[in-house]
Every structure is written in structure tokens, then in C-alpha cells.
Amino acid sequence: MVTAAEYGHNSWDLLVQVDQREGDETMKFKIRVKGDLHIGGLMLKLVEKIKAPQDWSDHALWWEQKNSWLLKTHWTLDKYGVQADAALRFTPQHKALCLVLPNMKTIRLTVTFSAVVFKAVVEICRALNIRRSEELSLLKPMDDSKKKKKKDKGKEEAEDDIIDMDNISGPGATQRGSIHLSMYIPKCFNLNLQVQMHVCEPGVRVCRWLDSSSSLMEQGIQENDRLLLRFKYHCFFDLNPKYDAVRITQLYEQARWSILLEEIECTEEEMLMFASLQYHICKLTMSAKPVDHSDEPEIDEVEAALAHLETTLEGRSTDRILVLHSFRAYCTIAFCRPKRLLRTFKDYWFVFRDTSISYYKNKESANGEPIEQLHLRGCEVVPDVNVTEKKFGIKLLLPVADGMNEVYIRCENETQYAKWKAACILASKGKTMAYSSYRTEVKNIQSFLQMKSLAPPPGQASPDVDSMEMNAECFVSPRYTKKYKAKQLTTRILEAHQNISQLSLMDAKMRFIQAWQSLPEFGITYYIVRFRGCKKDEILGVSNNRLIRIDMSTRLPLTTWRFANMKQWNVNWEIRQVAIEFDQNVWVAFTCQSCDCRVVHEYIGGYIFLSTRAKDQNETLDEELFRKLTGGQE
């Protein structure tokens, strides 16, 4: 019986639904409460009323109508605004979630549904032994309910082959999970490619990323729902085969599908190079033993300390070093500044000194004033290469006050290209050719060019195609399966494979990732926007270090702004407009047409957050800084 005093005007009946684990039926309770009752007291009353011998420590209150958690247990019902019409759920904060990894393996893992997605991803990556969780996030799969109805039962059972990570227990659980996920053999049949096209359709993915600053429940995700775990920010820090077997494998798989599904443009030469690497990796994976890095040489601590000292000196006293180490390179190089769609090259005498390029009309006039001097510090170096056609070009994006200028230089041969590109890359970072890393950079570029060569190495016989078992259509995008017959593709892939046949499994994956990163369009996410003062839509590309304004009709870049020159940015949440201020009073403002402005805001903030990472810091993330940069409207 309830006394009359308890029915005072300040009290009311509150309905609370209790969710239990392991498929037990839900329970509903009415509890007499007052507005000054704090959330902790309400949960205590509820547990006393349930009278069940169970650990309720993981349960918390979820408010259905407000779509929010009541996690501040010291707050009162009045402070939260809870009234008699509120429907609360007493539910576990940790629930099972089905995650589709980049290698298309589906795992079931217990994840926090009450913390923000940023924290949930940290939990997931820790369970899977993936370092640098800040590079990844979760996105919703496309609604494929119609296609599911058409699938036969056999295919449905294959898709439901889920690895339950919670059953992998014990002290070696993380290691066993790592081996299991890093030794995945790629699927090689065309039907799967069609499924992937549906899951990873370009242009739609950006709208399906979950908000990193909200919880899973707040975004409509329920227990056992299926989400995709993907690398969101294309800025991969400190990739180390000794510690990153799973990370490298999953990154390789995401890169592989982006190539196969033509999410990123590449030439036929590059496609065959990627195909040969896939074939090589597939062969090695089929015959590989469990991953064991115990036989790898330990990192030399003295060498690491010297490298860190060199990095420190680069940032603090670069100018002094550049004067002490004055290295020059001379040669005749074709050069042009493109005007609209025309690109006309003309030969000049080039002199590369320190971090700048000067060019003259000819060698004899090199003692006088140059026609122009190009300062490369802070520039972007983009390859423009076709080994088969003997085309060795370099595109330089040079920073200026209102964006970046575009210039092209064309080298005569592979050796000249490797040396000059290496010099340009170092100069963009404020280094000269005097640095020890210059020779290594040249060798890496030469190795990459050799890998792109589709002809077998000199003195090596052509492969016997008839004796090889290969489904060549698995390794190239549909465009090339329509263009060439299977035997033609097999021949060309095997010829290219001879250039990389000596690579180890992890080296091949790293080469694939590096080749993916070298593509001109790598890591650029595109949005349809409308800039302030313009009447037509344009395309905005967001990369890890710059914004690109692109004409929608011609698909040509108009202006580039570097994040390094950004002073501040903000969002007007009422009119959904992003405004950015760069150096020298350059302002840019736009509204997003293809997605919510929050998505672009989070991408920009996320990349700026990633740029603050350093090798000398531990792997603890500054979550507060991340939320400040990406949180948006709070």
C-alpha cells in the first residue's frame, strides 16, 4: 500500500523497462519518484524492486523520446527534464555489434553503446590489435533488403559466417585474433565483386559515416546491427610490419577494393601492377605460415635517436643546415605552366639548389638572373608517369597566398626522374639533397618504377601461361575484364609479376599500400558544395593536408588551399555554412549540398588532429582535443 503522503503533488509514477542479457524477456516497472531524485537513486530503487541476483553495474538509463543516455548519476530528474510521460530503459551499456572488416570478414564483438563512437572505435581496435585507432571509424552499410530477398539460402549462410571475438579468451587472445585476421585469404570470384560494388558505392559513403562525437544508440544503432569498420582518414602514421600485421592487412584490403571498384582512378599500367601484387599476395597467403615477427631485427635505438634528432633539427634550425649543405643539380628539363586545357612544354636549363629550383633559357645564361625561381618548401609533389610510354613527369603544386599554383616538369629518363622527384620531395619538407635519406628516396622511386614496368626483367623468360592456374578477372576492375580476354590478362599480369616475385608477403602488402598512396587522387574525399557568392554547385575535395576547389563540368582543379595556411574555421549551424580563414586575409565559405556540413567539419578537424601526432609521443590519444576539433555543434 502507498500512503497518502507519497501521492503528493511533487511525485509521480515513472515507467522503466529493464533489458536483460542472454535473450531474457524484458520487464517493466512503475516507480514512484520525485523531481529531486537523482539518477543514481532511481537506479538503486529499480534494482531493489527487481530483486534479481545479477550484476547490474553495466546497466544505465536510456531515454527513448530524447534519444539520449542519462549517464550523469548525480543529476536529478528535474535537471534532465524527466517527466511522467518519459519512457526510460534500463539497458546494458555494452552490447554485441557485427562489424564487417575491410577484408569482408564479419566479426561479432561487444562494444560500448553509451560512449561516443570515437571511444567505441578505440575499444574495437584494441580488441583486434590495430594500432592508431584514430584513423578508423564506423559507417552504416547501404540498405540491401531487396537484394537479400533474392539471395538463395546457401549464400545467406555464407554471409552469416561470423567470427565471435568474445569467445577468443585467455592471455593470448589478442595475439590469436591478430593471426586469424592478418592471415586472411582474399576472395576471388566475380559475384563477390558485385556485392562489394553495392556496399562501397563511391559518393555515398561519406554520408554514411557515423558521427564520432555521438554514441551508437544516439545514432539509431541497436544490438547485433551490422556496421563497416574502415580507415576514414587517409593519413597512416608509423606503419610498422613488426607491430601492425592486422592493420597492414586490413589497410591492404581496403586499398585493394578501392582499386577494383574504381573508387580511385588509375592507369592501365598501374592496374596491372596492382593486379600482379594481388596475385603475388594471394599466392603467398595460400602457402603462408602463421605470422611471426620474432626473427625480424630489432629497431636500433641509437639509429632511432639519431633519426629523431634529425627530425628535431629540421623543425628548429633548417635554414642554418641548408646553408651548410649546399647541393646542386643541373640538367635540361622540359617545363610548362598549363593555361586552361593546354599544356605546352619547352626545354630550359634547370638548377636545383637547397629547396628551390631556378630555370634559365639555356646553360650559357645560368650565371645571370633566372627566368623564375620556384620555392618548393610546402609544395605538393604529384607523379605524372607512364613507364611503358617513357613518360616521366612531375607535377608541383606550389603554395601561394590564395591557394596553389600548378607547374609541370618532364624528365628525359627514369634515372633523372628518380633523382629530381626525390629532391622535390625532400625540398617540400624543408630538406636538401645533403640528407642521408636522399639516396634511399631515389632507390625507392627507382624500385617503384621497376615494379610498374610490365616487361619481364632482362634475361628472364616469359611465363608459361597455359601451365598457370589464375582467375585473372579477380585482380582487375570490370573495365579491363570487358576490354581484354582472360588469357591476355593472365599473360600481362604474370609478366608484371616477375618484377615483384621475390617480395615477402608483408613487403608486397606494403608496396601495394605505397603504390595506392602515390596515385594522384589518393585520399581525396569529394563533396558537392556551393561557395558563397556563386550561383552554381562545385566540387570540394578534402585531403589530409589541403582543400581543392574543382569545377563540376570540367572536373579540373581551380584552387587549392593548404591546412598549414589555415588560421581558423567555423560553422554557422543555422544556415549550415562552413567558413575558413587562411593566411593573408583569404576567406572561403561554402554550404554543403551532398551531405550535412557536420561531415565536412569533422573531416577537416580530424585531419588537423592527425597532423599533431609525433613519433616521440606515446599512443595515448588526446580525446578532448579531437572532440574540440571535430565535435561540431555542442
Side-chain angles (χ1 to χ4, degrees):
M1 295 293 293
V2 180
T3 64
E6 290 178 307
Y7 272 108
H9 65 280
N10 289 329
S11 67
W12 67 88
D13 285 330
L14 183 64
L15 183 65
V16 182
Q17 174 183 310
V18 179
D19 294 339
Q20 299 192 79
R21 291 186 180 277
E22 300 175 359
D24 293 341
E25 293 184 5
T26 59
M27 300 177 288
K28 293 185 178 180
F29 295 92
K30 277 188 178 181
I31 300 178
R32 199 71 184 174
V33 298
K34 292 185 178 181
D36 60 356
L37 178 66
H38 52 77
I39 299 298
L42 174 60
M43 292 194 294
L44 182 60
K45 278 191 171 187
L46 188 60
V47 171
E48 290 174 349
K49 198 160 188 176
I50 296 172
K51 297 179 180 178
Q54 181 178 333
D55 182 6
W56 300 97
S57 60
D58 188 48
H59 279 60
L61 289 169
W62 168 257
W63 191 355
E64 294 279 4
Q65 296 98 321
K66 295 289 186 179
N67 195 44
S68 65
W69 288 92
L70 308 182
L71 299 176
K72 297 178 180 178
T73 55
H74 60 284
W75 278 27
T76 64
L77 296 177
D78 281 344
K79 191 166 184 178
Y80 265 119
V82 177
Q83 300 293 329
D85 60 346
L88 302 184
R89 280 175 60 192
F90 193 50
T91 185
Q93 297 179 64
H94 288 79
K95 303 173 187 287
L97 191 65
C98 293
L99 296 170
V100 183
L101 304 180
N103 64 4
M104 302 320 296
K105 282 286 185 182
T106 302
I107 64 171
R108 182 180 286 109
L109 191 65
T110 299
V111 179
T112 176
F113 274 60
S114 59
V116 296
V117 166
F118 182 83
K119 277 189 175 179
V121 173
V122 171
E123 278 186 15
I124 292 167
C125 291
R126 189 181 296 121
L128 301 181
N129 197 25
I130 297 177
R131 294 198 308 155
R132 309 299 177 188
S133 61
E134 65 274 16
E135 297 170 358
L136 297 94
S137 192
L138 300 171
L139 70 159
K140 297 177 182 178
M142 293 186 64
D143 183 16
D144 55 354
S145 56
K146 293 181 181 179
K147 289 197 172 186
K148 282 184 178 178
K149 293 178 182 178
K150 297 179 182 179
K151 292 179 182 176
D152 56 67
K153 294 181 180 179
K155 291 175 187 174
E156 285 183 355
E157 288 175 3
E159 286 192 355
D160 291 335
D161 184 16
I162 299 175
I163 304 169
D164 195 337
M165 298 297 292
D166 294 330
N167 290 336
I168 303 176
S169 57
T174 303
Q175 185 179 0
R176 290 199 295 274
S178 302
I179 293 172
H180 188 81
L181 294 171
S182 64
M183 294 297 296
Y184 171 69
I185 298 175
K187 295 181 180 179
C188 294
F189 49 92
N190 291 333
L191 176 63
N192 188 55
L193 185 59
Q194 299 301 323
V195 174
Q196 295 306 313
M197 284 185 174
H198 180 66
V199 173
C200 305
E201 183 180 341
V204 180
R205 170 176 290 185
V206 293
C207 304
R208 297 185 285 117
W209 287 110
L210 296 185
D211 182 357
S212 297
S213 299
S214 302
S215 69
L216 291 171
M217 288 272 280
E218 289 170 338
Q219 300 180 70
I221 308 302
Q222 300 299 324
E223 188 170 8
N224 286 318
D225 276 0
R226 190 171 297 228
L227 294 176
L228 310 182
L229 179 69
R230 295 290 184 271
F231 289 85
K232 178 177 181 179
Y233 299 104
H234 290 66
C235 185
F236 316 122
F237 185 68
D238 190 26
L239 273 178
N240 189 329
K242 187 175 179 64
Y243 308 110
D244 292 322
V246 180
R247 181 181 174 209
I248 290 171
T249 296
Q250 299 302 327
L251 192 52
Y252 157 71
E253 287 292 335
Q254 184 164 328
R256 182 173 79 95
W257 283 115
S258 73
I259 298 294
L260 292 177
L261 302 178
E262 299 179 0
E263 292 182 1
I264 183 170
E265 285 289 330
C266 65
T267 64
E268 182 174 319
E269 179 183 80
E270 290 164 340
M271 179 63 73
L272 291 170
M273 175 194 65
F274 285 122
S276 66
L277 283 167
Q278 289 180 72
Y279 170 67
H280 185 64
I281 291 167
C282 197
K283 274 184 62 178
L284 293 179
T285 308
M286 292 283 192
S287 59
K289 297 178 181 178
V291 178
D292 182 14
H293 297 291
S294 59
D295 58 344
E296 292 187 4
E298 292 290 335
I299 297 173
D300 191 330
E301 293 183 5
V302 175
E303 186 179 338
L306 288 173
H308 172 62
L309 177 61
E310 180 181 354
T311 304
T312 306
L313 290 173
E314 290 167 27
R316 293 182 183 175
S317 55
T318 307
D319 294 335
R320 187 179 302 171
I321 294 172
L322 296 182
V323 173
L324 293 173
H325 300 280
S326 181
F327 274 56
R328 293 188 183 187
Y330 313 87
C331 68
T332 301
I333 289 181
F335 173 78
C336 86
R337 283 186 177 276
K339 296 181 179 179
R340 295 185 180 179
L341 300 177
L342 299 176
R343 193 188 299 178
T344 304
F345 285 88
K346 187 177 179 181
D347 288 343
Y348 291 95
W349 179 254
F350 269 62
V351 177
F352 201 122
R353 178 174 181 175
D354 296 337
T355 60
S356 64
I357 295 176
S358 302
Y359 64 95
Y360 305 82
K361 186 176 181 180
N362 49 47
K363 183 177 180 180
E364 290 70 26
S365 61
N367 293 326
E369 288 294 318
I371 297 173
E372 187 179 7
Q373 188 175 37
L374 308 176
H375 297 282
L376 303 188
R377 189 180 300 187
C379 77
E380 297 292 327
V381 183
V382 182
D384 184 22
V385 175
N386 189 313
V387 178
T388 307
E389 298 177 3
K390 302 297 181 183
K391 173 186 173 184
F392 304 102
I394 303 171
K395 180 170 74 171
L396 299 175
L397 299 172
L398 306 172
V400 292
D402 59 345
M404 300 186 84
N405 283 339
E406 187 176 292
V407 298
Y408 288 81
I409 61 177
R410 181 169 290 175
C411 302
E412 295 178 354
N413 51 51
E414 294 184 23
T415 304
Q416 189 185 72
Y417 169 81
K419 291 180 178 179
W420 279 75
K421 186 187 175 188
C424 290
I425 291 172
L426 292 176
S428 70
K429 301 173 183 177
K431 301 179 182 179
T432 71
M433 289 179 284
Y435 280 84
S436 58
S437 58
Y438 172 70
R439 290 184 179 180
T440 305
E441 192 71 45
V442 171
K443 288 181 180 179
N444 289 339
I445 294 169
Q446 289 175 330
S447 174
F448 182 66
L449 291 175
Q450 182 183 357
M451 191 170 65
K452 291 184 72 172
S453 174
L454 303 181
Q460 196 163 350
S462 298
D464 184 3
V465 178
D466 296 327
S467 65
M468 299 294 236
E469 293 184 4
M470 180 201 295
N471 186 357
E473 295 179 351
C474 299
F475 304 115
V476 297
S477 64
R479 181 172 33 150
Y480 295 100
T481 61
K482 296 175 183 177
K483 185 176 180 180
Y484 296 103
K485 294 180 180 179
K487 192 170 182 179
Q488 290 176 311
L489 280 175
T490 302
T491 302
R492 301 190 70 182
I493 291 172
L494 289 175
E495 287 177 349
H497 174 254
Q498 291 181 310
N499 292 305
I500 49 98
S501 58
Q502 302 304 313
L503 293 176
S504 67
L505 177 62
M506 198 54 66
D507 283 343
K509 289 179 180 178
M510 287 294 291
R511 287 289 185 93
F512 193 101
I513 293 168
Q514 289 161 2
W516 178 49
Q517 289 176 292
S518 72
L519 295 177
E521 294 184 6
F522 165 78
I524 303 177
T525 308
Y526 298 98
Y527 308 92
I528 298 174
V529 302
R530 182 166 296 183
F531 285 90
R532 186 167 59 190
C534 296
K535 295 183 178 180
K536 63 177 183 178
D537 292 342
E538 296 178 75
I539 298 174
L540 179 72
V542 181
S543 179
N544 67 322
N545 57 3
R546 65 191 189 277
L547 299 175
I548 311 166
R549 184 175 183 173
I550 303 170
D551 184 273
M552 184 171 283
S553 57
T554 63
R555 295 296 193 270
L556 293 175
L558 302 175
T559 313
T560 302
W561 303 280
R562 288 175 56 83
F563 290 156
N565 299 331
M566 183 187 295
K567 296 179 68 175
Q568 65 172 333
W569 89 97
N570 57 72
V571 180
N572 185 328
W573 297 104
E574 292 183 3
I575 61 174
R576 320 302 287 179
Q577 183 183 76
V578 180
I580 307 172
E581 181 186 1
F582 295 94
D583 289 340
Q584 300 185 25
N585 296 319
V586 175
W587 280 90
V588 176
F590 56 85
T591 55
C592 301
Q593 308 295 311
S594 58
C595 65
D596 192 282
C597 64
R598 176 194 59 79
V599 179
V600 181
H601 171 71
E602 184 170 321
Y603 254 108
I604 294 173
Y607 275 128
I608 292 175
F609 173 77
L610 296 185
S611 70
T612 64
R613 298 180 296 182
K615 284 193 175 183
D616 59 342
Q617 69 184 30
N618 57 30
E619 295 186 21
T620 304
L621 296 173
D622 188 346
E623 185 187 344
E624 184 179 352
L625 176 61
F626 181 85
R627 294 194 68 179
K628 282 181 179 178
L629 292 171
T630 64
Q633 191 174 11
E634 291 187 352

